[in-house]
Amino acid sequence: MKRLIPSARPAKRFAGIGMALAAALTVAGCASTPPGTGVFLLLDTSGTYAGELDRARSVINYLLGTLDPGDSFGVARIDGGSFSEKDIIMRVTFDARPSVANDQKRLFMERIGAFTDTVTAAAHTDITGGVLQAAEWLEEVGPGSRAVLIFSDMEEDLPEGYIRDFPMELDGVRVIALNVTKLRPDNVDPRAYATRLDAWRERVQAGGGEFTVINDLERLDVALEL
Amino acid sequence: MPTWLMVWPGNPALSAALLVVTLILVLYGARAPAHRGILGVARAVNQGCKRIAVALRGVQGRLSERTREVLLSEGLEDTERQIEQEFRRISDAVDRDLGAYPVLHRKLADQVARIDEDYQKVTDTPPAPESWTRTLEASGELVRQAGDQSAAAKAVGALRSAIQEAHEEAMESYRDTSRQRHELLARMVPAWRSMSSTLDRVERSVAGIFERARHLDELMDRYREIAKEANMAERKLASSTLTQFVTASLVLVVASLGGFINFQLIALPMSEMVGATSRLGSMQTSDVAALVIILIEITMGLFLMESLRITRLFPVIGRLDARTRRQMAWATFSILLILAGIESSLAYMRDMLAADRAALTQQLAGSTVTRPEFMWIPAVGQMVMGFILPFALTFVAIPLESFIHSGRIVLGQVTAGLLRAVAFTVEMVGFGVDHAGKALNNLYDVFIFLPLKVEELVMSERERRARDVRADRTTSTA
């Protein structure tokens, strides 16, 4: 897990820098590399899951506290047609200066607060559209490490006429399903829950991505490996 | 047993026995060349090891000799430097205390002359002896004998009065001169004190010079001993070098910790200046920038110490004339001062950033943002540390010089010791291989002991027969 104050680093880094300085100075020039981490969080606002948004807010706050200057973070809602810019609540690449990045995080927090206070339940759940939207943005920003977090029960419910049964391009993207709640049919037949998650795992892995499920949010820091 | 070794496929025991017998016979037949081969290889390895050990000892000897030369050279240089310093101090003392000796001498002469003059003036002139009294007594007697009303009595009386007045005047004059004498004596006291103090100062200066001269004599003796390459001097120098090395290493470790603290103070605010995302190779540019600032400070410290002739790591700076060195010292000090100011402000910015970060964390956790009451104390502390640490790092130059000079000698001695140990080990390996070859030959013979025993019996029988034949011939000849 990243430290909250980046300067509080272990002593070995100081020694390591000293030793590696000579080698590093051979690198031609001072090149700006892409920011390290990109995270996109999809919030399911359909039906009963809309009641879980307070937990989602905690996750967002945790991520805001963990991400560093230069990292990218976006949040979008999942509703009937999520492959759309209008569903993006906020997305930002934090400034390289820590003080400016902190101000951006404050603004981010306010926007999310405003959203969760006024959100209304959606009639459908287009998870695939949201994942495609997130993957597209992360590809565009180009961070070193990319993660799409899905705060949902992972039950897709598309409006009529929407086509989503095609392979997704998810090379190098870690798709993490958070707080996957069990539905009523899952209680009747728990195999339905496993089947649903397995289907998503297959789709993500077929697209070149990596799929993980985290229901215990206390383990978030370990699972995210931020 | 593999099938290809089975001479009699249905009988493995017999096949094995036949194989063993064949092997023993083959080994017996090859005994002499095998022994020669084993001993030859062992001897070759032994010889090779001996040559390697000799070569290593040669390298070690040359290295030891070179280290010794460096040690003595360093010792000579160090003693020369100390002698030079002592001469400079004596010169300073002479310039300061005895340079003004003519003035001092004149002052002392003046004081002595004044005292002498005053002394002459205070010579006591006692009042006239008792003649005055006797004259007065005689005149009194004459007046009594002649009667008060006689002319003679009146004349004597008048004379007596005149004498009485003259006596009183003389006594008054004596009192005046006595008072003047006391005044002169009182005036002499400060002059005496001044002279005493001047003489004390002269004594102290001379004693100091004598003390330095004694130290100089010791240094000269030491210098002569080193120049003669005396063993005692070498041992003393080696011991002193090791002490220097250990001490300098410890101080450098402490200085590294100081540098680490310094780095911590400025690394975070540097990311505010150069950005936290820019990278140089695998490192953040802000970290590199912070480290570079610290290294520049250390470098400036080295140059400052060098300009002040406290250290002598750069002969080029040492050869500069005094004026240029002074200018260089001021320049490096100015740069250090500016860097210290920058660090101080960076340390303050670090405190601000940390506070901002803490506030954000509180906000994200959903709690009310509060700023502790005495937060200005660590802020001021960090600023002071940021200002002082660059100057403290300046003094790294002194242990660094000791470390470099002593490290060269200690490294030479350690390497020589290692070479000696490796040479010994190689020699022991050769010795072991030589004896292992002999042992292997004996083991070879153990394996083929049966044919050897048969050979021995045959040979002894042959010898016995030969002896019998010789004995028969001797008997028949007789």
Side-chain angles (χ1 to χ4, degrees), chain B residues 72 96 111:
Chain B
L72 292 172
R96 189 181 61 241
Q111 284 172 348

Side-chain angles (χ1 to χ4, degrees), chain A residues 1-4 62 65-66 218 220-222 224-226:
Chain A
M1 181 182 172
K2 284 181 181 176
R3 290 166 184 274
L4 290 183
Y62 166 75
T66 309
E218 298 292 320
L220 194 60
D221 54 339
V222 181
L224 289 176
E225 293 173 4
L226 289 176

Side-chain angles (χ1 to χ4, degrees), chain A residues 10-25:
Chain A
K12 64 180 181 183
R13 194 166 67 103
F14 177 70
I17 286 173
M19 285 188 288
L21 184 62
L25 289 175

Side-chain angles (χ1 to χ4, degrees), chain A residues 21, chain B residues 290-300:
Chain A
L21 184 62
Chain B
L291 198 67
V292 166
I293 284 187
I294 292 169
L295 290 176
I296 288 174
E297 284 166 3
I298 292 173
T299 311
M300 287 301 119

Side-chain angles (χ1 to χ4, degrees), chain A residues 177-199:
Chain A
L178 299 173
N179 193 41
V180 184
T181 51
K182 278 85 179 177
L183 304 171
R184 192 168 297 153
D186 297 339
N187 201 12
V188 176
D189 180 4
R191 284 176 299 178
Y193 178 77
T195 307
R196 193 163 72 243
L197 291 180
D198 285 345

Side-chain angles (χ1 to χ4, degrees), chain A residues 91-175:
Chain A
R91 59 187 178 188
V92 66
T93 295
F94 297 119
D95 195 87
R97 289 165 295 170
S99 60
V100 180
N102 285 351
D103 289 340
Q104 288 174 316
K105 287 176 182 180
R106 284 192 182 92
L107 181 64
F108 204 110
M109 191 177 66
E110 282 171 19
R111 290 265 183 92
I112 294 298
F115 168 74
T116 53
D117 290 344
T118 57
V119 68
T120 52
H124 298 277
T125 313
D126 175 17
I127 298 174
T128 308
V131 171
L132 290 171
Q133 173 79 22
E136 189 192 56
W137 182 70
L138 289 174
E139 181 67 31
E140 187 183 320
V141 175
S145 149
R146 286 175 281 172
V148 176
L149 310 183
I150 308 171
F151 203 79
S152 165
D153 53 19
M154 301 306 284
E155 175 71 16
E156 194 156 51
D157 173 22
L158 295 171
E160 200 175 332
Y162 278 62
I163 300 163
R164 295 289 186 262
D165 55 344
F166 53 83
M168 296 185 285
E169 283 291 324
L170 296 170
D171 266 341
V173 178
R174 292 169 62 222
V175 178

